[in-house]
Structures are given as structure tokens and as C-alpha cells.
């Protein structure tokens, strides 16, 4: 990535898009479909087992042509190659960005500083598989000789959200005699509730932390250690009940975990891009090594698609460009992700970190303040639940909210007519958002004149629909990689560093300082008047 790229708003495609957007804004999707019914099948891509219908967007072929031109002018192709080949594209941390190497097959070669990292990746995967087999079969015994029944992943942010999401998403494939819990919050309630009904003799903790210094994780890890030792009363028990996933061998040793029970990864794996590294150990324990391999294969095939497919048929490229289109030319502040699958209930939360920590930036690679919008807010809930709460605002509110609907043709739990009812709602929602209901249509139903405005649906509200056959480990890998690469595309267009996260630092530093002050009972507070008062009141109230 060049720090001296032509500023985005000076690219000719950008300028063309600005005036093109003005010609699109007055057009209604009703009109766009009426004059061009084929758009419903033309503006779609069927690739990697994902049917991506983007016809219900406020676009024409010209829009796509200009967006693709924007991608070309932004040098997207060479940036993709730079990422895949291990260039240090995370410039503020001087790091390569190689989550794609985590799912590369054994035969691949990916060089970082002249060294092929693929053999190391597979060595760790093999060690994870051997360990998983021992836990899943009951061969691995706890300190008192009982097999492990409970696995608790302690981690936060990238060391938590991926594992939680993947566990929930792939629960159908999980070994049901193992219980999985996830502790992330520094709030002691998280740990207390996760362990309230568990026996330390049968519980394994995975301490998942890239740095092994994160306050939340280390506090929870120390609490877990005390909880274990309170019952097992012997330091030697730690080796049987604790494993670590980390890049920081020294810190792991310091904590007392045998490095034989440590699964490593590397500084070129960003936290929010790490669910397919050893951070996914809980996922592998749940679904087994073979299914984990399928998950990785799904990621890899989307990687290949992203790297090798022409942009006009490239799922992450199209998806990323559409996000840019609404954020920058329609002032859309948010994107709603609406999976119609209960197993994907944590998918929006996972995407929040992936998208917002990556693209919530306001300076370009050269440090200049941007004069356009960058990463929108991602949010969502599984359907149909959301329909009975916030969809009202999407349909009739004043905000334009592009939506991603995600549905599967086959259910993993065939129960009566549930699945057809579920999918009917996906199609109905996308249709209602796009085409709405006019005042004439409402009046023709015999609605009282004074109620007509309330019952009108303007429509013209854009959405993508992603239709897949089945929620398999492979499909999940493809979906996650699709969003990862879409985020990458956006970051390239916006000329930002999608792989750092300096925005989380200041709060951490200030909290550390305040922890010291609380320990000193608030002596000599030197904050602003509001913060001083809040700390003082807190100390008084807690007495
Ligand atoms: C992700 C971020 C962040 C990180 C957590 C946990 O991209 O870097 O969410 O994953 O702060 O960090 P550790 O794994 O080092 O504990």
C-alpha cells in the first residue's frame, strides 16, 4: 500500500460516481425493475456455493461499472496480491497480514521475511488435532483421573468473538457430551456464572490471548487458576486443566502453563482474523479436527475466489464496493446483517468487531484526515426475531439501512413447516423493503384516508440476499472469509489501515491509571471534574 496514493476523492471514478449517484437517487427500485426485469437474475453471482443477489440495490449496470473502475483506480488487484504474498500492509504496526496463510493447504508456500510459514501452520494444526482427539475421546484425564467434560475458553475481543460465534454456528456438529463456555468480560459475573455448576476436576481452561497480557483475560485466567486449585489443591493440577493459545511463550511460562500445552500463532495474524488459527482450539474441540479442516477448506476456497476471480464476478469485491456506495454516496450510517438461521445468532456480533475495528478509522495511510465516510456501523440479529422489533425502523424510519439477508435452503433441524415459514420471511422482507406499498395500494385495500400515510411503505430500501444450501463448516468458512475480504476491499478504497486498532488503546491506559487510584482509595485524583466526582462517589457508595 502506498502512502502517496492519489487521494480518493480525486480519482476520476470517484468523481464520476458522485454525479452518477445524483442521477440514481431519484430512481425507485420499482422503476428499475419495471424497465429491466432481467436485473433480478443479471445482478447476481453464483459462486462458492453462495448465490449473491444484489439486484435489490439502488444501482444500475453503470453504477457497477463505475464502482469496478474505482477498484481498478485504487489498485485493488495489486493490494490483494500484496496481502496474500505477505507484504507488510499493516503499516502502522509494520506487520504482514496473513490470515489467508492459516487456511493454506500443506502444498502452498507463503513467505514472511523470506521464511515459508505454511509448515509451521500445519504443525500447530496437527498438534491441535492430536490434543482434540485426546480430549474428545476421554483419553486426556484431569488431575484426579476424570475425563474432561467442560471446556472454558477465556479470551476477549478477537480471542473470544470468533470462537463463540463458530461454536454457536456449528453447534449441530459438536460433540454433545462436552460443555463449552466462553468467559471474556472483566465483570466477575461472567466467570462466576460460567463455572457455577461445573466441577474443576472435569474442567479444562483454554487461555486464549495473543499477547497473554490482556487485563481481562489474565484476571479471569488467575481467577480460573484459584477456582481450580481451591478444589484440586496441587499446583501440578494446572498442567492437566490449563492450556494456552498465544504468541507469547515467555508470558505463558510465567503464568505456569507448560509450553508443551501451548498452541502458537504469529504476529501476522490479527486478533479479529484469528478464529482459524489456534484461537479456534475450542471450535476444533467442539466439532472435531475433520470438521475444522472443512471449515478451513471453506475459508481457503473463498480466498482463492477473491484472489483469482475477475472483479465483476467477485463476491467480496462486489459486496465491499456496495458498502462503499451507500456509506459515501447515500450517507448510510449503518449496515444490518440479518441471518435467518438461529445458529448464526452471534454472527452479527462477530462481524461488528471484524468490520468496525478494521474500518473505523479517520485517517488515511499517510495520516491525513479523510474527507469522506469510512466504515459504517454493522449490527443485526437473527431473523425472524428482528422483524418483531427493529425492522419497523428499516421499513418506515428516516434512515437508509442497507441489509444483508442470509438464508440456507436446507435446515439442520427439519421440524414441520418451520423452515419454509422462515425462508418465506427472508424473501418477503427483501421484497417489502425494495418495493414497499404505495398510497394507492393502501387506499385500494379500503384503508381510512387518515391512516393511509401511516400504512404506506416507501420501499426503495436496498438489500443483498445471500442464499446458501446448508450451514456446514465449509459454508461458515466461506461466509466469514467473504466478510473478511469485503472489509479489505473497503479499506483499500478508503486508503486506511484496516489491520491496526489504535482506537482501543487510550481507554486501556486510562483504566490502568484509575485502577491505581482506586487502590489508593481515590487519593489525589487529577482528572476532569466529572471523572473525579464519579470516582469519588463510586468509592463512597461501595463502602
Ligand atoms: C483484534 C484486537 C483485539 C484483541 C483483544 C485480545 O483484532 O486486536 O480484539 O483480539 O484485545 O487480545 P489478546 O489476544 O492479546 O488477549
Amino acid at each position: 500500500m502506498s502512502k502517496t496514493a492519489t487521494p480518493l476523492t480525486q480519482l476520476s471514478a470517484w468523481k464520476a460516481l458522485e454525479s452518477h449517484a445524483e442521477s440514481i437517487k431519484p430512481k425507485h427500485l420499482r422503476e428499475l425493475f419495471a424497465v429491466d426485469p432481467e436485473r433480478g437474475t443479471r445482478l447476481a453471482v453464483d459462486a462458492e456455493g453462495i448465490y449473491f443477489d444484489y439486484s435489490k440495490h439502488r444501482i444500475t449496470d453503470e453504477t457497477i461499472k463505475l464502482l469496478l473502475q474505482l477498484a481498478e483506480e485504487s489498485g485493488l488487484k495489486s493490494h490483494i496480491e500484496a496481502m496474500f504474498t505477505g507484504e507488510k500492509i499493516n503499516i502502522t504496526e509494520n506487520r504482514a497480514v496473513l490470515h489467508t496463510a492459516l487456511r493454506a493447504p500443506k502444498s502452498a508456500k507463503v513467505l514472511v521475511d523470506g521464511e515459508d510459514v505454511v509448515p509451521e501452520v500445519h504443525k500447530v494444526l496437527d498438534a491441535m488435532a492430536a490434543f482434540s482427539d485426546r480430549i474428545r475421546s476421554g483419553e486426556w484425564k484431569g488431575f484426579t483421573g476424570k475425563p474432561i467434560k467442560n471446556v472454558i475458553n477465556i479470551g476477549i475481543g478477537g480471542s473470544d468473538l470468533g470462537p463463540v460465534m463458530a461454536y454457536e454456528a456449528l453447534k449441530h456438529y459438536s460433540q454433545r457430551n462436552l460443555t463449552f463456555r466462553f468467559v471474556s468480560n472483566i465483570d466477575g459475573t461472567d466467570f462466576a456464572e460460567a463455572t457455577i455448576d461445573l466441577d474443576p476436576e472435569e474442567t479444562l481452561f483454554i487461555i486464549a490471548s495473543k499477547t497473554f497480557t490482556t487485563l481481562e483475560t489474565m484476571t479471569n485466567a488467575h481467577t480460573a487458576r484459584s477456582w481450580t486449585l481451591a478444589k484440586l489443591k496441587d499446583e501440578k493440577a494446572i498442567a492437566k486443566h490449563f492450556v494456552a493459545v498465544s504468541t507469547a511463550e515467555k508470558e505463558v511460562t510465567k503464568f505456569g502453563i507448560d509450553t508443551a500445552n501451548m498452541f502458537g500463532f504469529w504476529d501476522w495474524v490479527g486478533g479479529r482474523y484469528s478464529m482459524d488459527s489456534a484461537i479456534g482450539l475450542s471450535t476444533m474441540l467442539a466439532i472435531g479436527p475433520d470438521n475444522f479442516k472443512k471449515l478451513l477448506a471453506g475459508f481457503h476456497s473463498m480466498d482463492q475466489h477473491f484472489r483469482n476471480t475477475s472483479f465483476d464476478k467477485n463476491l467480496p469485491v462486489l459486496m465491499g464496493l456496495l458498502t462503499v456506495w451507500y456509506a459515501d454516496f447515500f450517507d448510510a450510517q449503518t449496515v444490518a446483517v440479518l441471518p435467518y438461521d438461529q445458529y448464526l445468532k452471534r454472527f452479527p456480533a462477530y462481524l461488528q468487531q471484524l468490520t468496525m475495528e478494521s474500518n473505523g478509522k479517520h485517517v488515511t495511510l499517510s495520516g491525513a484526515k479523510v474527507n469522506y465516510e469510512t466504515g459504517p456501523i454493522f449490527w443485526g440479529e437473527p431473523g425472524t426475531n428482528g422483524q418483531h422489533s427493529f425492522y419497523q425502523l428499516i421499513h418506515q424510519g428516516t434512515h437508509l439501512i442497507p441489509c444483508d439477508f442470509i438464508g440456507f435452503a436446507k435446515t439442520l433441524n427439519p421440524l414441520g413447516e418451520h423452515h419454509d415459514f422462515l425462508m418465506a420471511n427472508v424473501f418477503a422482507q427483501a421484497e417489502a423493503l425494495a418495493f414497499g406499498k404505495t398510497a394507492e395500494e393502501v387506499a385500494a385495500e379500503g384503508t381510512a384516508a387518515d391512516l393511509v400515510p401511516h400504512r404506506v411503505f416507501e420501499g426503495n430500501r436496498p438489500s443483498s440476499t445471500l442464499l446458501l444450501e446448508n450451514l456446514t463448516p465449509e459454508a461458515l468458512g466461506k461466509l466469514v472469509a467473504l466478510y473478511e475480504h469485503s472489509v479489505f476491499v473497503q479499506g483499500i478504497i478508503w486508503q486506511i489501515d484496516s489491520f491496526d486498532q489504535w482506537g482501543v488503546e487510550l481507554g486501556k491506559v486510562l483504566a490502568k491509571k484509575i485502577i491505581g487510584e482506586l487502590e489508593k482509595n481515590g487519593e489525589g485524583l487529577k482528572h476532569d471534574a466529572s471523572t473525579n466526582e464519579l470516582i469519588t462517589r463510586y468509592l463512597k457508595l461501595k463502602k
Side-chain angles (χ1 to χ4, degrees), residues 5-266:
T6 307
L8 174 59
T9 54
Q10 285 173 31
L11 295 177
S12 62
W14 182 272
K15 289 183 185 158
L17 279 161
E18 279 178 323
S19 59
H20 173 71
E22 294 314 308
S23 72
I24 291 288
K25 280 178 191 165
K27 293 202 164 86
H28 197 289
L29 279 165
R30 277 197 288 265
E31 184 190 332
L32 293 173
F33 269 84
V35 299
D36 175 20
E38 264 99 66
R39 66 179 277 134
T41 47
R42 191 180 66 251
L43 301 181
V45 174
D46 191 356
E48 297 302 319
I50 299 177
Y51 182 72
F52 175 60
D53 175 358
Y54 61 99
S55 64
K56 293 193 187 82
H57 279 290
R58 294 173 65 178
I59 55 168
T60 59
D61 295 284
E62 178 67 9
T63 321
I64 292 297
K65 197 184 112 199
L66 291 173
L67 287 169
L68 293 173
Q69 191 187 323
L70 181 66
E72 297 293 344
E73 288 178 19
S74 301
L76 179 59
K77 185 82 200 149
S78 60
H79 288 306
I80 294 173
E81 276 315 292
M83 172 170 73
F84 275 91
T85 54
E87 271 185 44
K88 298 199 170 158
I89 62 170
N90 175 358
I91 59 156
T92 72
E93 296 179 311
N94 193 30
R95 282 181 185 163
V97 174
L98 271 176
H99 41 281
T100 52
L102 297 170
R103 50 256 194 166
K106 264 189 183 144
S107 55
K109 210 172 188 180
V110 183
L111 301 182
V112 178
D113 295 327
E115 216 173 290
D116 184 9
V117 298
V118 177
E120 271 300 304
V121 166
H122 282 272
K123 205 166 127 192
V124 174
L125 282 171
D126 290 345
M128 287 164 65
F131 177 70
S132 296
D133 285 339
R134 291 182 69 194
I135 295 285
R136 288 164 60 86
S137 65
E139 182 201 324
W140 178 288
K141 301 280 189 286
F143 187 61
T144 57
K146 293 188 180 172
I148 297 298
K149 279 196 187 154
N150 318 303
V151 177
I152 302 186
N153 188 81
I154 296 183
I156 195 164
S159 302
D160 169 66
L161 287 158
V164 177
M165 181 277 289
Y167 171 67
E168 292 296 341
L170 300 176
K171 206 179 210 163
H172 177 80
Y173 304 88
S174 70
Q175 186 165 310
R176 300 291 180 146
N177 67 352
L178 288 173
T179 295
F180 288 83
R181 304 232 169 118
F182 298 84
V183 174
S184 55
N185 204 331
I186 191 88
D187 183 343
T189 299
D190 206 7
F191 183 87
E193 286 293 341
T195 49
I196 199 163
D197 53 349
L198 304 186
D199 180 353
E201 292 180 62
E202 300 172 333
T203 302
L204 174 82
F205 289 97
I206 302 173
I207 312 301
S209 176
K210 184 171 167 180
T211 55
F212 234 70
T213 56
T214 305
L215 176 72
E216 292 89 338
T217 302
M218 295 329 292
T219 306
N220 279 318
H222 282 285
T223 301
R225 168 193 245 282
S226 311
W227 181 81
T228 306
L229 291 178
K231 173 124 191 227
L232 302 180
K233 301 191 188 318
D234 191 332
E235 283 283 332
K236 282 195 229 93
I238 299 301
K240 293 282 166 202
H241 294 270
F242 283 74
V243 298
V245 176
S246 188
T247 58
E249 208 172 308
K250 260 195 206 148
E251 299 291 336
V252 170
T253 313
K254 228 198 273 169
F255 182 85
I257 296 178
D258 187 345
T259 47
N261 297 336
M262 170 179 159
F263 302 89
F265 59 116
W266 307 272

Side-chain angles (χ1 to χ4, degrees), residues 288-306:
D290 287 345
N291 278 322
F292 196 81
K293 265 186 209 148
K294 290 180 191 160
L295 174 74
L296 295 184
F299 272 102
H300 180 65
S301 72
M302 184 57 73
D303 293 343
Q304 296 292 98
H305 168 85
F306 180 49

Side-chain angles (χ1 to χ4, degrees), residues 390-401 432-433 436-437 442 451-459 461:
F390 56 79
Y391 276 39
Q392 165 64 37
L393 184 146
I394 307 182
H395 281 288
Q396 287 190 313
T398 55
H399 299 272
L400 179 77
I401 302 177
L433 285 170
K437 200 172 189 183
V442 175
L451 279 185
V452 168
H454 298 279
R455 302 189 63 171
V456 166
F457 285 68
E458 283 175 345
R461 296 173 187 230

